Amino acid sequence: MTRTKKTTAPAKTKEIGLGFITELDRYLFGQGTHYKIFEKLGAHPKTYKGKAGMYFAVWAPHAKAVGVVGDFNGWDPDAAPMSPLADSGIYEAFIPGVGLGELYKFAITTQEGMILFKADPYAVHAEFRPGTASITEDINGFKWDDAAWMETRKKADPVKSPMAIYEVHLGSWRKKDRPQKEGYYTYMEAAHELADYVKKMGYTHVELMGIAEHPYDGSWGYQVTGYYAPTSRYGTPKEFMYFVNYLHKKGIGIILDWVPAHFPKDAHGLADFDGQPLYEYADPRKGEHPDWGTKVFDYSKNEVKNFLIANALYWVENFHVDGLRVDAVASMLYLDYGRSDGNWVPNKYGENKNLEAIEFFRHLNSVLTGHLTGAMMIAEESTAWPGVTKPPEEGGLGFTFKWNMGWMHDFLEYMKLDPYFRKFNHNKMTFGITYATSENYILTLSHDEVVHLKCSMINKMPGLNGDKFANLKAGYTFMMGHPGKKLLFMGQDFGQYHEWDEKVSLDWYLADEPLHKDLQKYYSNLLHVYQKYPALWQLDSDWNGFQWINANDGDRSIFSFIRRDETGKKNLLFVINFTPVARDDYRVGVPKSGTYSLILDSEHGLYKRGEHAFSARSKKSECDGQPYSFAYPLPAYGTAIFKFN
C-alpha cells in the first residue's frame, strides 16, 4: 500500500490540488489523527471559481484511475475523472452544477484494468436498499435545542449515574399500516412514540441497533457498508438528528451499536476497495472472519484507524449521540478468534493478542475522553480480558462500561431451571458478585438472547403460564438489585411470546392482556424504584454498595441482600424467592435496629401513600449472621424491596 512518509508536520497549512484539502490535512490523515477527516473526504457542497457544485474526495491508493459517476453524468466512468494528490492516495474532483440529493459512486479502475463501482465510504446518506448508491447531502444547519442535555452530559459521571437501557431495533419495534418502505416508522415518527413509551416505563437510555447503513436486514445492522450514513430505511440524516434532539429534550439518552470489528464483502462496499485489500488485512488469516464471512479492519494502517476513530467522533459530535456500544470486541482482541489451529497469525511475541487492535482501542477511547464530550464507550466483550474499563495509562483499554456476558449466561441458565433443581445451582446467581467490581459492568438481556431458538424471555421460564410470569418478575427483580447498569431488549418487558424477528413488529396487543400488562407494570415499577434510589446505581463498582444478607439459602432458593448509596443512609433490602413455595413467616436478618418499609413487591407492585403498607421494626434476634431480624409473609416466587435508614 502507498504509505505517507513519517515526516514532521508542515510548518504552515499549504493548499494542494483544488485547495479543499491542505498539506496539513494530508499529513494528519497519514498519521491517523485527522479527527475531522469526514469534512474533507466524501462529497461536500462547495463553490469553486465562482461556480456552485459538489466536491468529491476518496482514498484509493492502489487505483490506476478514479472517476465520479452518477445520474448527473449518465454513470460514465470517463465523464468526471478525479485527480490524485501526491503521496497521499487521495483522489479529488469538483463537479459544478451537482446539487443535493444526487445518486453517485466512485468508478475505480484497478491496476488490472477492471472498473469497480464503489459507494463512498464517507457518504452521509445512502440509497434505500436494494439500491447501493451514495447520495449527496449536507448535514450542516440543523437547529439543535438540546444544549441543557449536552452540558449536563459533559459534567456527569456515568459510572455513578442511573442507566436503564431499552434496546431497540427501530424497524421491528412498531410498523405503520402503509406500503412505503415496508411500513417502517420514520425517525421523526418513532421519536415521539418511543420517547413516550420509554419515559412512561422509566428507562433512562435507548440503545439503537443497526443505524449505520447496511444492505441486508438479516444482519440486524452488524454488517455495515455506510459507516457515516444513518440508514435511509427510516429517513434522512437530519431526520435522525431530529430523533436524537427530541429524545434528549425528553431526558432520554441515545446509545448506538457501532461495528469497528468487521465489514461485509458486498461489491459496493469496503472490501478490496481499490482492487486490493485496503481497509482489511491482506493476509486472509487475519483479514477474514471464517464464521461470519466478513472482512476484518486492518488496525495497522493509520488511515484505517483514522476512518474509524473519526467515525466514532462523528456520531458523538455531529449527531449528539451519548454513547457507542462497540460490537464484537473479543473478535478484535484475539487473533485466533473463531479460527482453527494453523489458520491464524500470532503476534511478534508468539501470542494470540492483536496488539494493533489493543492500541486502536486505547487511542479511540482516549480521543473520545480527551474531546470532553461526556460520551460513553461500551464494550461487548465476552471473555475475561483484564482491564477493559481501566484507563489506558493503567494498562486498560479505556472503555466506560463492559457488557457482563458472564452474569447473563449464569442468570439465564438458572432461570430456565425447574425450581426443584435450582437448589443445586444456587451459585449461578451468587458467582457474579465475586467479580462485580472488577469492571464497570452493564447487566444485559439483549436481542442475542431471544433469537435463534433461544426463546423469548417469558418462554425461557419454567412452569405453566402464571408461573412463567411470576418467575420472570423474580428474575427481573434480582437483576435490578444486582450491581451493574441494566439493559433489556424490546418486547421482553411485557412478555413477548415469540422470538424476536426483525421482519415483523412486536406483538403489542399482548400488552393489553392481564398477565402481560401486569408484568409490564411491574417492570416499570422496578425501573422507577431504580431511578429514585441512588443505592441501586451510585456504588455499582464499589464493594461498599452491596452486602449479602444470605447468599447460602440454596435449599429454599431465596436470596437476600442490601444495596447502599454513598451516604449509607438510604439503603434497600431485597428478598427474592425463586420457588413456588410460600414462606408465611419468613425471617430475614438485618444489620441494624430500625423500621423496614416495603416499597415494592410482586403481589401489590409499588406501594404508594400507605396503600397495602407494610413495615416492620427489627428486633434484637440473630438471623442470617446479623444481630437483628424481622419476619413477614413471603409468597411463592415472592419478591420484596424494603427501604431503611
Side-chain angles (χ1 to χ4, degrees):
M1 164 190 146
T2 304
R3 298 299 303 272
T4 304
K5 295 179 181 179
K6 301 298 181 183
T7 59
T8 56
K12 295 181 179 179
T13 299
K14 179 182 176 183
E15 292 186 356
I16 54 177
L18 297 174
F20 296 119
I21 291 180
T22 68
E23 195 174 61
L24 180 60
D25 291 327
R26 188 181 65 179
Y27 170 82
L28 292 174
F29 182 52
Q31 297 295 307
T33 56
H34 198 316
Y35 304 129
K36 299 283 189 180
I37 190 62
F38 52 83
E39 294 179 352
K40 300 292 182 173
L41 298 182
H44 304 277
K46 299 284 185 182
T47 299
Y48 182 67
K49 293 185 177 179
K51 294 182 179 180
M54 196 67 56
Y55 173 76
F56 298 89
V58 64
W59 180 55
H62 302 123
K64 189 174 183 179
V66 184
V68 184
V69 295
D71 287 338
F72 44 82
N73 62 16
W75 300 88
D76 179 0
D78 298 320
M82 303 180 76
S83 302
L85 295 178
D87 298 325
S88 66
I90 296 172
Y91 287 77
E92 66 171 1
F94 176 79
I95 307 178
V98 175
L100 301 179
E102 296 274 9
L103 300 180
Y104 74 99
K105 283 186 178 181
F106 294 116
I108 298 175
T109 304
T110 70
Q111 292 297 325
E112 294 73 32
M114 292 181 59
I115 298 179
L116 308 176
F117 293 91
K118 292 287 189 177
D120 181 0
Y122 290 87
V124 298
H125 196 27
E127 192 178 10
F128 178 60
R129 59 156 177 74
T132 58
S134 302
I135 303 175
T136 57
E137 185 65 85
D138 186 2
I139 63 170
N140 296 307
F142 180 81
K143 294 182 179 180
W144 294 92
D145 54 2
D146 63 345
W149 172 274
M150 297 297 286
E151 192 60 32
T152 300
R153 187 179 90 178
K154 290 180 183 178
K155 298 174 181 177
D157 179 358
V159 175
K160 292 189 175 184
S161 301
M163 187 160 66
I165 304 167
Y166 186 51
E167 188 188 24
V168 173
H169 179 267
L170 271 186
S172 56
W173 183 67
R174 290 185 189 270
K175 285 185 179 289
K176 291 278 188 179
D177 184 17
R178 63 186 179 201
Q180 294 90 346
K181 290 190 175 180
E182 302 165 27
Y184 287 140
Y185 269 56
T186 67
Y187 290 118
M188 298 175 78
E189 291 168 340
H192 293 260
E193 290 194 27
L194 184 60
D196 288 346
Y197 183 78
V198 167
K199 202 69 178 174
K200 179 181 177 182
M201 285 296 294
Y203 295 101
T204 64
H205 291 73
V206 169
E207 180 175 321
L208 295 176
M209 299 168 58
I211 291 302
E213 192 60 80
H214 53 284
Y216 176 51
D217 288 16
S219 77
W220 308 334
Y222 295 113
Q223 295 194 14
V224 179
T225 50
Y227 275 81
Y228 286 81
T231 178
S232 58
R233 287 167 175 80
Y234 320 123
T236 67
K238 286 185 178 177
E239 288 172 338
F240 181 59
M241 289 176 176
Y242 178 93
F243 177 95
V244 176
N245 188 64
Y246 186 83
L247 265 67
H248 279 176
K249 290 194 294 179
K250 295 295 183 179
I252 302 164
I254 304 292
I255 300 167
L256 296 190
D257 281 0
W258 189 59
V259 193
H262 62 125
F263 55 89
K265 297 178 181 178
D266 294 67
H268 69 287
L270 297 177
D272 294 316
F273 185 78
D274 55 5
Q276 299 180 38
L278 181 63
Y279 286 89
E280 68 268 43
Y281 286 108
D283 188 334
R285 294 175 298 171
K286 291 181 72 175
E288 296 200 19
H289 272 304
D291 292 341
W292 301 336
T294 53
K295 297 285 190 178
V296 180
F297 281 105
D298 184 347
Y299 310 107
S300 71
K301 293 177 183 173
N302 288 340
E303 297 88 346
V304 172
K305 289 184 289 187
N306 202 150
F307 171 81
L308 291 170
I309 294 171
N311 183 245
L313 280 168
Y314 169 81
W315 291 110
V316 167
E317 295 187 335
N318 290 64
F319 288 87
H320 292 200
V321 165
D322 302 296
L324 299 175
R325 174 265 195 185
V326 183
D327 183 64
V329 168
S331 75
M332 299 169 65
L333 293 173
Y334 297 96
L335 292 164
D336 59 348
Y337 187 94
R339 297 176 176 88
S340 58
D341 291 344
N343 291 310
W344 60 278
V345 182
N347 65 26
K348 61 184 179 182
Y349 303 113
E351 301 170 336
N352 67 342
K353 298 177 182 177
N354 189 333
L355 303 177
E356 294 153 356
I358 294 169
E359 187 277 331
F360 164 75
F361 280 133
R362 289 171 175 167
H363 185 177
L364 166 72
N365 292 324
S366 296
V367 167
L368 263 292
T369 303
H371 275 61
L372 301 176
T373 61
M376 301 173 288
M377 295 297 289
I378 302 167
E380 188 226 3
E381 203 286 306
S382 55
T383 74
W385 188 281
V388 172
T389 58
K390 283 185 167 49
E393 57 268 25
E394 295 179 17
L397 297 181
F399 284 94
T400 318
F401 293 105
K402 172 181 173 174
W403 272 23
N404 196 335
M405 311 292 278
W407 175 88
M408 175 274 297
H409 181 269
D410 291 343
F411 173 81
L412 292 179
E413 287 299 306
Y414 180 88
M415 292 304 302
K416 288 186 287 188
L417 291 170
D418 182 285
Y420 175 80
F421 295 103
R422 286 175 175 168
K423 60 187 175 183
F424 306 114
N425 293 270
H426 198 71
N427 66 312
K428 280 184 165 55
M429 296 291 266
T430 60
F431 180 64
I433 294 296
T434 65
Y435 61 86
T437 62
S438 63
E439 302 277 6
N440 300 325
Y441 282 115
I442 298 176
L443 309 183
T444 61
L445 296 173
S446 75
H447 65 277
D448 274 329
E449 310 317 315
V450 293
V451 291
H452 301 325
L453 303 180
K454 295 178 184 177
C455 296
S456 64
M457 286 300 300
I458 195 66
N459 277 332
K460 293 181 196 294
M461 301 298 109
L464 299 175
N465 213 29
D467 286 343
K468 286 180 178 293
F469 285 87
N471 264 288
L472 196 50
K473 281 185 178 181
Y476 285 161
T477 306
F478 185 88
M479 176 186 184
M480 205 62 67
H482 193 289
K485 312 308 180 187
K486 324 299 176 188
L487 179 145
L488 187 67
F489 184 57
M490 64 182 196
Q492 311 315 306
D493 51 10
F494 64 78
Q496 169 94 11
Y497 278 133
H498 72 71
E499 289 187 330
W500 172 56
D501 183 347
E502 81 281 351
K503 297 183 290 297
V504 298
S505 171
L506 297 179
D507 292 333
W508 285 101
Y509 69 89
L510 288 175
D512 293 325
E513 297 187 2
L515 284 172
H516 298 269
K517 188 174 184 178
D518 181 61
L519 173 65
Q520 184 185 47
K521 183 178 180 180
Y522 182 75
Y523 192 73
S524 177
N525 287 340
L526 281 172
L527 289 171
H528 283 93
V529 167
Y530 173 77
Q531 285 206 52
K532 181 177 179 179
Y533 291 93
L536 294 178
W537 40 262
Q538 209 166 51
L539 296 175
D540 274 332
S541 301
D542 188 323
W543 285 119
N544 293 315
F546 181 90
Q547 178 189 346
W548 281 116
I549 294 299
N550 194 336
N552 301 310
D553 197 356
D555 286 342
R556 296 188 295 181
S557 298
I558 298 174
F559 300 85
S560 52
F561 55 85
I562 287 173
R563 293 300 308 274
R564 291 189 173 88
D565 66 5
E566 288 182 334
T567 69
K569 295 180 179 179
K570 296 180 179 179
N571 308 313
L572 298 179
L573 168 67
F574 282 69
V575 183
I576 308 169
N577 179 7
F578 282 101
T579 70
V581 180
R583 310 290 175 179
D584 295 332
D585 192 31
Y586 182 77
R587 181 163 293 275
V588 60
V590 289
K592 292 184 179 182
S593 173
T595 299
Y596 292 75
S597 301
L598 191 58
I599 60 173
L600 177 71
D601 73 3
S602 51
E603 282 203 338
H604 304 102
L606 200 61
Y607 285 64
K608 297 179 179 179
R609 297 184 181 180
E611 183 185 2
H612 309 298
F614 175 90
S615 62
R617 183 80 185 177
S618 62
K619 298 179 180 180
K620 185 75 174 177
S621 175
E622 192 277 335
C623 181
D624 296 327
Q626 302 297 322
Y628 299 87
S629 63
F630 67 90
Y632 77 101
L634 180 63
Y637 298 119
T639 70
I641 305 175
F642 297 87
K643 67 177 179 179
F644 67 98
N645 291 328

Coordinates of all heavy atoms in Angstrom, one line a residue, residues 193-241:
E193 N -43.3 8.5 19.6 CA -43.9 7.3 20.3 C -42.9 6.6 21.2 O -43.3 6.1 22.3 CB -44.5 6.4 19.2 CG -45.7 6.9 18.5 CD -46.5 5.8 17.7 OE1 -46.4 4.6 18.1 OE2 -47.2 6.2 16.8
L194 N -41.7 6.5 20.7 CA -40.7 5.8 21.5 C -40.4 6.6 22.8 O -40.2 6.1 23.9 CB -39.4 5.6 20.7 CG -38.3 4.9 21.3 CD1 -38.7 3.4 21.7 CD2 -37.1 4.8 20.4
A195 N -40.2 7.9 22.6 CA -40.0 8.8 23.8 C -41.1 8.6 24.9 O -40.8 8.5 26.1 CB -39.8 10.2 23.4
D196 N -42.3 8.6 24.4 CA -43.4 8.5 25.3 C -43.4 7.2 26.1 O -43.6 7.1 27.3 CB -44.8 8.6 24.6 CG -45.1 10.0 24.1 OD1 -44.4 10.9 24.6 OD2 -46.0 10.2 23.2
Y197 N -43.1 6.1 25.3 CA -43.1 4.8 26.0 C -41.9 4.7 26.9 O -42.1 4.2 28.1 CB -42.9 3.7 24.9 CG -42.9 2.3 25.4 CD1 -44.1 1.7 25.8 CD2 -41.8 1.6 25.6 CE1 -44.2 0.4 26.4 CE2 -41.8 0.3 26.1 CZ -43.0 -0.3 26.5 OH -43.0 -1.5 27.1
V198 N -40.7 5.1 26.5 CA -39.5 5.0 27.4 C -39.7 5.8 28.6 O -39.3 5.4 29.7 CB -38.3 5.5 26.6 CG1 -37.1 5.7 27.5 CG2 -37.9 4.4 25.5
K199 N -40.3 7.0 28.5 CA -40.5 7.9 29.7 C -41.5 7.3 30.6 O -41.3 7.3 31.8 CB -40.9 9.3 29.2 CG -40.7 10.4 30.2 CD -39.2 10.6 30.3 CE -38.9 11.8 31.2 NZ -37.5 12.0 31.5
K200 N -42.6 6.8 30.1 CA -43.6 6.2 30.9 C -43.1 4.9 31.6 O -43.4 4.7 32.8 CB -44.8 5.8 30.0 CG -45.9 5.1 30.8 CD -47.1 4.7 29.9 CE -48.2 4.0 30.6 NZ -49.3 3.6 29.7
M201 N -42.3 4.1 31.0 CA -41.8 2.9 31.6 C -40.7 3.2 32.6 O -40.6 2.5 33.7 CB -41.2 2.0 30.5 CG -42.2 1.3 29.7 SD -43.2 0.1 30.6 CE -42.0 -1.1 31.1
G202 N -39.9 4.2 32.4 CA -38.8 4.5 33.4 C -37.4 4.2 33.0 O -36.5 4.3 33.8
Y203 N -37.2 3.9 31.7 CA -35.9 3.7 31.1 C -35.2 5.1 31.1 O -35.8 6.1 31.0 CB -35.9 3.2 29.7 CG -36.5 1.8 29.6 CD1 -37.8 1.6 29.2 CD2 -35.7 0.7 29.9 CE1 -38.3 0.3 29.1 CE2 -36.2 -0.6 29.8 CZ -37.6 -0.8 29.4 OH -38.1 -2.1 29.3
T204 N -33.9 5.0 31.1 CA -33.1 6.3 31.0 C -32.4 6.5 29.7 O -32.2 7.6 29.3 CB -31.9 6.3 32.1 OG1 -31.0 5.2 31.8 CG2 -32.5 6.1 33.5
H205 N -32.2 5.4 29.0 CA -31.5 5.4 27.7 C -32.2 4.5 26.7 O -32.8 3.5 27.1 CB -30.0 5.0 27.8 CG -29.2 6.0 28.6 ND1 -29.3 6.1 29.9 CD2 -28.2 6.8 28.1 CE1 -28.4 7.1 30.3 NE2 -27.7 7.5 29.3
V206 N -32.0 4.8 25.4 CA -32.4 3.9 24.3 C -31.1 3.5 23.6 O -30.2 4.3 23.3 CB -33.3 4.6 23.3 CG1 -33.5 3.7 22.1 CG2 -34.7 4.8 24.0
E207 N -30.9 2.2 23.4 CA -29.8 1.7 22.5 C -30.4 1.2 21.2 O -31.2 0.3 21.2 CB -29.0 0.6 23.2 CG -27.9 0.1 22.4 CD -27.0 -0.9 23.1 OE1 -26.8 -0.8 24.3 OE2 -26.6 -1.9 22.4
L208 N -29.9 1.8 20.1 CA -30.4 1.5 18.8 C -29.5 0.6 18.0 O -28.3 0.8 17.9 CB -30.6 2.8 18.0 CG -31.6 3.8 18.5 CD1 -31.5 5.1 17.6 CD2 -33.0 3.3 18.5
M209 N -30.1 -0.5 17.5 CA -29.4 -1.4 16.7 C -29.5 -0.9 15.2 O -30.5 -0.3 14.8 CB -30.1 -2.8 16.7 CG -30.1 -3.5 18.1 SD -31.1 -4.9 18.1 CE -30.5 -6.0 16.8
G210 N -28.4 -1.2 14.5 CA -28.5 -1.1 13.0 C -28.8 0.3 12.5 O -29.6 0.4 11.5
I211 N -28.2 1.4 13.0 CA -28.5 2.7 12.4 C -27.5 3.0 11.3 O -27.9 3.7 10.3 CB -28.4 3.8 13.5 CG1 -29.5 3.6 14.5 CG2 -28.4 5.2 13.0 CD1 -30.9 3.7 13.9
A212 N -26.2 2.6 11.3 CA -25.4 2.9 10.2 C -25.9 2.0 9.0 O -26.3 0.9 9.2 CB -23.9 2.5 10.6
E213 N -25.7 2.6 7.8 CA -26.3 1.9 6.6 C -25.8 0.5 6.4 O -24.6 0.3 6.5 CB -26.1 2.8 5.4 CG -26.9 2.4 4.2 CD -28.4 2.4 4.5 OE1 -29.0 3.6 4.4 OE2 -29.0 1.4 4.7
H214 N -26.7 -0.4 6.1 CA -26.3 -1.8 5.8 C -27.2 -2.4 4.8 O -28.4 -2.0 4.7 CB -26.4 -2.6 7.1 CG -27.7 -2.5 7.8 ND1 -28.1 -1.3 8.6 CD2 -28.8 -3.3 7.9 CE1 -29.3 -1.5 9.1 NE2 -29.7 -2.7 8.7
P215 N -26.8 -3.3 3.9 CA -27.6 -3.7 2.8 C -28.6 -4.8 3.2 O -29.6 -5.0 2.5 CB -26.5 -4.3 1.8 CG -25.4 -4.6 2.7 CD -25.4 -3.7 3.8
Y216 N -28.3 -5.6 4.2 CA -29.0 -6.9 4.5 C -29.7 -6.8 5.8 O -29.1 -6.7 6.9 CB -28.1 -8.1 4.4 CG -28.7 -9.4 4.7 CD1 -29.9 -9.8 4.1 CD2 -28.2 -10.2 5.7 CE1 -30.5 -11.0 4.4 CE2 -28.7 -11.5 6.0 CZ -29.9 -11.9 5.3 OH -30.5 -13.1 5.7
D217 N -31.1 -6.8 5.8 CA -31.8 -6.7 7.0 C -31.5 -7.8 8.0 O -31.5 -7.6 9.3 CB -33.3 -6.8 6.7 CG -33.8 -5.5 6.1 OD1 -33.0 -4.8 5.6 OD2 -35.1 -5.3 6.0
G218 N -31.2 -9.0 7.5 CA -30.9 -10.1 8.4 C -29.6 -10.0 9.2 O -29.4 -10.8 10.1
S219 N -28.8 -9.0 8.8 CA -27.6 -8.8 9.6 C -27.9 -7.9 10.8 O -27.0 -7.7 11.7 CB -26.5 -8.1 8.8 OG -26.8 -6.7 8.6
W220 N -29.1 -7.4 10.9 CA -29.5 -6.5 12.0 C -28.7 -5.2 12.1 O -28.7 -4.6 13.1 CB -29.5 -7.2 13.3 CG -30.2 -8.6 13.4 CD1 -31.2 -8.9 12.5 CD2 -29.9 -9.7 14.2 NE1 -31.6 -10.2 12.9 CE2 -30.8 -10.7 13.9 CE3 -29.0 -9.9 15.3 CZ2 -30.9 -11.9 14.5 CZ3 -29.0 -11.1 15.9 CH2 -29.9 -12.1 15.6
G221 N -28.0 -4.9 11.0 CA -27.1 -3.7 11.1 C -25.7 -4.0 11.5 O -24.9 -3.0 11.6
Y222 N -25.3 -5.2 11.7 CA -23.9 -5.5 12.1 C -23.0 -5.8 11.0 O -21.8 -6.2 11.2 CB -24.0 -6.7 13.1 CG -24.7 -6.3 14.4 CD1 -25.9 -6.9 14.8 CD2 -24.2 -5.3 15.2 CE1 -26.6 -6.5 15.9 CE2 -24.9 -4.9 16.4 CZ -26.1 -5.5 16.7 OH -26.7 -5.1 17.8
Q223 N -23.5 -5.7 9.7 CA -22.6 -5.7 8.6 C -22.8 -4.5 7.8 O -23.7 -4.3 7.0 CB -22.9 -7.0 7.7 CG -22.5 -8.3 8.5 CD -22.5 -9.5 7.6 OE1 -22.5 -9.4 6.4 NE2 -22.5 -10.7 8.2
V224 N -21.9 -3.5 8.1 CA -22.1 -2.1 7.7 C -21.4 -1.8 6.4 O -20.2 -2.2 6.2 CB -21.6 -1.2 8.8 CG1 -21.8 0.3 8.4 CG2 -22.3 -1.4 10.1
T225 N -22.1 -1.1 5.5 CA -21.4 -0.5 4.3 C -21.3 1.0 4.3 O -20.5 1.5 3.6 CB -22.2 -1.0 3.0 OG1 -23.6 -0.7 3.2 CG2 -22.1 -2.5 2.8
G226 N -22.1 1.6 5.1 CA -22.1 3.1 5.2 C -21.9 3.6 6.6 O -22.9 3.9 7.3
Y227 N -20.7 3.6 7.0 CA -20.3 4.0 8.4 C -20.7 5.4 8.8 O -20.9 5.6 10.0 CB -18.9 3.7 8.7 CG -18.5 2.3 9.0 CD1 -18.4 1.3 8.0 CD2 -18.4 1.9 10.3 CE1 -18.2 0.0 8.3 CE2 -18.2 0.5 10.6 CZ -18.1 -0.4 9.6 OH -17.8 -1.7 9.9
Y228 N -20.8 6.3 7.9 CA -21.2 7.7 8.2 C -22.6 8.0 7.8 O -23.0 9.2 7.9 CB -20.2 8.6 7.4 CG -18.8 8.6 8.0 CD1 -17.9 7.6 7.7 CD2 -18.4 9.6 8.9 CE1 -16.6 7.6 8.3 CE2 -17.1 9.7 9.5 CZ -16.2 8.7 9.2 OH -15.0 8.7 9.7
A229 N -23.4 7.0 7.4 CA -24.7 7.3 6.9 C -25.8 6.7 7.8 O -25.9 5.4 7.9 CB -24.9 6.8 5.5
P230 N -26.6 7.5 8.5 CA -27.8 6.9 9.2 C -28.7 6.2 8.1 O -28.9 6.7 7.0 CB -28.5 8.1 9.7 CG -27.5 9.2 9.8 CD -26.6 8.9 8.6
T231 N -29.1 5.0 8.4 CA -29.8 4.2 7.4 C -31.0 4.9 6.8 O -31.8 5.5 7.6 CB -30.2 2.8 7.9 OG1 -30.9 2.1 6.9 CG2 -31.1 2.9 9.1
S232 N -31.1 4.9 5.5 CA -32.2 5.5 4.8 C -33.6 4.8 5.0 O -34.6 5.2 4.5 CB -31.9 5.6 3.3 OG -31.7 4.4 2.8
R233 N -33.5 3.6 5.7 CA -34.8 2.9 6.0 C -35.8 3.8 6.7 O -37.0 3.7 6.5 CB -34.5 1.7 6.8 CG -33.8 0.5 6.1 CD -33.3 -0.5 7.1 NE -32.8 -1.7 6.4 CZ -31.5 -1.8 5.9 NH1 -30.7 -0.7 5.9 NH2 -31.1 -2.9 5.4
Y234 N -35.3 4.7 7.5 CA -36.2 5.5 8.4 C -36.1 7.0 8.1 O -36.7 7.8 8.8 CB -35.8 5.3 9.9 CG -35.5 3.8 10.2 CD1 -34.3 3.5 10.8 CD2 -36.4 2.8 9.9 CE1 -34.0 2.1 11.1 CE2 -36.1 1.5 10.2 CZ -34.9 1.1 10.8 OH -34.6 -0.2 11.1
G235 N -35.3 7.4 7.1 CA -35.3 8.8 6.7 C -33.9 9.3 6.4 O -33.0 8.6 6.1
T236 N -33.8 10.6 6.5 CA -32.5 11.3 6.2 C -31.7 11.6 7.4 O -32.1 11.4 8.5 CB -32.9 12.7 5.5 OG1 -33.5 13.5 6.6 CG2 -33.9 12.5 4.4
P237 N -30.4 12.0 7.2 CA -29.6 12.3 8.4 C -30.2 13.4 9.3 O -30.1 13.3 10.5 CB -28.3 12.8 7.7 CG -28.2 12.1 6.4 CD -29.7 12.1 5.9
K238 N -30.7 14.4 8.7 CA -31.3 15.5 9.6 C -32.5 15.0 10.3 O -32.8 15.5 11.4 CB -31.6 16.7 8.8 CG -30.3 17.5 8.4 CD -30.6 18.8 7.7 CE -29.3 19.5 7.4 NZ -29.5 20.8 6.7
E239 N -33.3 14.0 9.7 CA -34.4 13.5 10.4 C -33.9 12.6 11.6 O -34.5 12.6 12.7 CB -35.3 12.7 9.5 CG -36.0 13.5 8.5 CD -36.8 12.8 7.5 OE1 -36.4 11.6 7.2 OE2 -37.7 13.3 6.9
F240 N -32.7 12.0 11.4 CA -32.1 11.3 12.6 C -31.7 12.2 13.7 O -31.8 12.0 14.9 CB -31.0 10.4 12.1 CG -30.4 9.6 13.3 CD1 -31.1 8.7 14.0 CD2 -29.0 9.8 13.6 CE1 -30.6 8.0 15.1 CE2 -28.5 9.1 14.7 CZ -29.3 8.2 15.4
M241 N -31.2 13.4 13.2 CA -30.8 14.4 14.2 C -32.0 14.9 15.0 O -32.0 15.1 16.2 CB -30.2 15.6 13.5 CG -28.8 15.4 12.9 SD -28.2 16.8 12.0 CE -26.5 16.3 11.6

